[in-house]
Amino acid sequence: LHIWPRGQHFLMALANLDGSFTGTIYMAREGEDSFARLSTEEAVRAFFQEHYADAVPILGGMEAIVQQMLQNPVGTLGTIRTKRWQAHGKVVLVGDSAHAIVPFFGQ
């Protein structure tokens, strides 16, 4: 696991068994640095060159990044708030089972 933190967004790379990496970028849907602004090849190239130039070779090069960013859907990372963490005295959610998001965001 490697994380490139950059203020309001970050890139995370997970190693694969074949030695390659799977990258995920976490950022806002709208705003200055957001998925909404990365809708063209030029915008994706400029963004990654400015913020993640050191990660480009690890992620397969700029062409692979552009292709992935423009062809894959944007997912949702949300927070669910609830007042109840138990049900009828029989079920209790604790630790990572209580997370509606990946555990490392709850730490």
Side-chain angles (χ1 to χ4, degrees):
L1 170 69
H2 189 80
I3 297 176
W4 290 264
R6 301 292 191 266
Q8 297 299 311
H9 50 86
F10 72 90
L11 177 65
M12 182 175 74
L14 297 169
N16 297 314
L17 292 175
D18 66 0
S20 65
F21 287 85
T22 297
T24 304
I25 189 162
Y26 295 86
M27 63 192 315
R29 285 186 177 269
E30 304 288 333
E32 184 176 340
D33 287 334
S34 67
F35 287 110
R37 299 270 176 117
L38 301 180
S39 60
T40 67
E41 287 187 27
E42 297 78 22
V44 172
R45 288 177 194 281
F47 178 82
F48 274 85
Q49 191 60 45
E50 177 182 350
H51 297 288
Y52 299 105
D54 55 332
V56 170
I58 295 170
L59 298 175
M62 190 63 79
E63 296 307 315
I65 292 169
V66 169
Q67 177 186 6
Q68 292 293 317
M69 291 296 294
L70 296 179
Q71 292 181 1
N72 287 308
V74 174
T76 299
L77 184 64
T79 300
I80 297 173
R81 300 193 196 299
T82 181
K83 292 183 180 183
R84 295 186 64 182
W85 52 272
Q86 59 84 24
H88 312 292
K90 295 181 180 180
V91 177
V92 177
L93 298 178
V94 296
D96 286 347
S97 70
H99 290 270
I101 58 176
V102 292
F104 61 84
F105 268 77
Q107 297 175 355

